Amino acid sequence: PKGIYPMSDGWVPPAYPGEEELIAYEEKMNSRRKAILVKRHVCVKNVAFDDLSQQDLLNKAEFSMYCMPIMEGPYSGEGDDRTWYLIVYYEVAKRGKVERAFKALDSDITDVEQVPVDPDDAQDWEKELMYDHGAGKYKAMFSEHEYFVCEKGSPEFEDPWGPKHPDGPLWEEARPPARALEEHRPGSRREARAPAVGAPPARAVQWEAQ
């Protein structure tokens, strides 16, 4: 592999790896196992979430999560009553272990739709998870934002420019996937139905405070 070194005068940093080391590193990266993942969109209360996000449980049940807190309102309260919106990732062969882990915490997800993760259309963190799972590594990732639920039929939900909080000047459609809380539309690529476990049947938008 050729990079910016050596420079025109032949200089390279003292700690810069040699060509053989760079080739070996590239071969190592290319040989990594890339797991084929599926995902589920689930809502749980804070008590269950505290246990689900523990590293020991993630390792035992072999799943990862992207975790989004729902702000206080009709679908989320304070303390133990807070709702978390989760995107749960795992390999198909691990389905039983994941379902048992949730059921042990009074969150039955057996009827929640399981969606394949398209490697060609995945988010960046999903692509990283494919390699992490291939190496037997699991994690809980946390959104920096709280999410607001726009109920179907509300002006915020129907806004053609995208959902906006009535009191927030700097709201925008949620990324990562805002569509995760959007109502399922048959025939569309928006694959996520409203989650079955304590889920709001609506869109979510994230708020960035000034």
Side-chain angles (χ1 to χ4, degrees):
K2 295 187 180 296
I4 61 173
Y5 301 111
M7 301 189 74
S8 58
D9 61 0
W11 182 85
V12 297
Y16 192 73
E19 185 171 351
E20 290 185 0
E21 292 174 288
L22 291 172
I23 292 174
Y25 178 77
E26 186 174 271
E27 290 176 348
K28 180 181 178 181
M29 292 297 99
N30 292 336
S31 66
R32 291 182 299 168
R33 176 177 175 265
K34 190 175 184 180
I36 298 174
L37 300 180
V38 293
K39 59 185 175 181
R40 277 172 160 164
H41 304 273
V42 178
C43 282
V44 300
K45 290 300 184 180
N46 202 56
V47 174
F49 173 75
D50 283 344
D51 289 329
L52 288 167
S53 58
Q54 295 299 311
Q55 191 62 52
D56 287 347
L57 182 59
L58 297 173
N59 292 341
K60 182 179 179 180
E62 300 181 78
F63 69 94
S64 293
M65 302 188 300
Y66 190 90
C67 313
M68 296 169 275
I70 302 298
M71 70 184 303
E72 187 177 347
Y75 299 103
S76 184
E78 297 180 342
D80 290 347
D81 197 40
R82 186 176 202 180
T83 299
W84 285 84
Y85 183 78
L86 310 176
I87 307 178
V88 183
Y89 296 90
Y90 55 92
E91 295 179 72
V92 174
K94 316 298 183 184
R95 176 174 179 164
K97 296 178 70 173
V98 175
E99 290 178 350
R100 288 192 293 272
F102 274 79
K103 193 169 184 177
L105 297 169
D106 296 323
S107 296
D108 189 351
I109 65 171
T110 53
D111 292 330
V112 178
E113 184 180 17
Q114 179 177 275
V115 182
V117 178
D118 183 352
D120 298 323
D121 193 35
Q123 302 287 345
D124 288 342
W125 82 88
E126 291 178 326
K127 294 176 182 178
E128 291 177 9
L129 281 179
M130 292 176 187
Y131 287 113
D132 286 341
H133 281 236
K137 299 177 181 178
Y138 312 97
K139 60 187 175 183
M141 302 165 288
F142 295 84
S143 171
E144 296 178 352
H145 306 280
E146 286 188 314
Y147 287 75
F148 165 74
V149 177
C150 298
E151 296 186 9
K152 185 177 181 180
S154 68
E156 295 78 28
F157 185 95
E158 303 297 341
D159 190 334
W161 294 99
K164 295 178 177 63
H165 188 274
D167 299 323
L170 296 175
W171 293 75
E172 61 188 37
E173 190 170 354
R175 308 271 185 226
R179 58 190 178 192
L181 284 184
E182 262 189 45
E183 187 178 56
H184 178 64
R185 299 176 184 176
S188 75
R189 294 184 65 208
R190 299 194 170 192
E191 73 284 349
R193 293 178 183 166
V197 184
R203 293 187 184 184
V205 292
Q206 70 187 29
W207 179 55
E208 297 182 47
Q210 295 190 70

